[in-house]
């Protein structure tokens, strides 16, 4: 017996209240309930922005994420320049070197990271990545970029 695919009254399928395409609007606009964009009200957002430790953490994460992405763009552009005729190979090697440490060292590093002070670990990691990024303009070989990519991750 074939199941009726047109009906979803069996209670097993999630019901989504999505606006039709083109009717979503600006996320900064308030709706009739006073909610902004993703459902947070001004009363809920206000305390977050006045909580100084949270604001410091949030701004530090924005700065760190921006640096990570700029570093990725910079090292990719350098790989294309240094790679010469084999720029595709150079970019592939550098990007592979950015991915590999997470797979290989991630589980082992997680064990040690749980035992160390998180704040010092995060700050030390960010400072170390910044120092490696400062040396990138002086790297002129694909091997140097691959090593820098391994250290960055």
């Amino acid at each position: 017996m074939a199941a009726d695919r047109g009906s979803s009254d069996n209670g097993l399928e999630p019901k989504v209240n999505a606006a039709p395409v083109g009717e979503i609007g600006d996320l900064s606009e308030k709706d009739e309930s006073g909610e902004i964009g993703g459902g947070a009200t001004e009363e809920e957002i206000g305390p977050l922005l006045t909580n100084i430790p949270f604001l410091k953490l949030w701004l530090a994460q924005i700065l760190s994420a921006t640096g990570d992405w700029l570093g990725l763009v910079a090292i990719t552009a350098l790989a294309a320049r240094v790679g010469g005729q084999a720029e595709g190979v150079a970019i592939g090697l550098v990007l592979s070197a950015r991915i590999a440490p997470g797979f290989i060292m991630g589980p082992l590093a997680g064990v040690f990271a749980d035992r160390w002070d998180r704040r010092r670990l995060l700050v030390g990691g960010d400072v170390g990545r910044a120092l490696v990024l400062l040396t990138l303009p002086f790297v002129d070989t694909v091997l140097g970029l691959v090593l820098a990519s391994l250290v960055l991750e």
Side-chain angles (χ1 to χ4, degrees):
M1 186 155 139
D4 181 19
R5 295 187 186 265
S7 172
S8 63
D9 281 343
N10 61 9
L12 298 176
E13 295 181 23
K15 295 182 179 173
V16 178
N17 295 330
V21 175
E23 293 184 16
I24 294 176
D26 184 12
L27 289 178
S28 65
E29 294 177 358
K30 292 182 189 178
D31 63 9
E32 59 275 354
S33 67
E35 293 183 347
I36 301 171
T41 62
E42 286 182 31
E43 292 81 25
E44 293 170 333
I45 292 175
L48 288 177
L49 297 179
T50 58
N51 183 343
I52 300 302
F54 174 79
L55 191 59
K56 283 180 176 179
L57 174 67
W58 185 58
L59 292 173
Q61 294 243 331
I62 288 173
L63 184 65
S64 178
T66 302
D68 286 343
W69 282 105
L70 287 175
L72 178 66
V73 170
I75 206 162
T76 304
L78 277 171
R81 188 191 69 178
V82 170
Q85 296 291 340
E87 69 181 29
V89 173
I91 291 172
L93 286 171
V94 167
L95 293 180
S96 296
R98 294 284 300 243
I99 294 171
F103 288 120
I104 298 168
M105 294 175 32
L108 181 62
V111 171
F112 290 110
D114 288 339
R115 298 178 185 185
W116 296 335
D117 180 36
R118 287 182 181 94
R119 180 174 293 172
R120 286 185 180 176
L121 188 64
L122 290 172
V123 170
D126 283 344
V127 169
R129 281 195 302 269
L131 292 174
V132 171
L133 287 173
L134 288 174
T135 64
L136 283 182
F138 308 107
V139 176
D140 58 353
T141 64
V142 174
L143 179 61
L145 290 175
V146 168
L147 291 176
S149 291
L150 285 170
V151 172
L152 283 172
E153 291 302 314

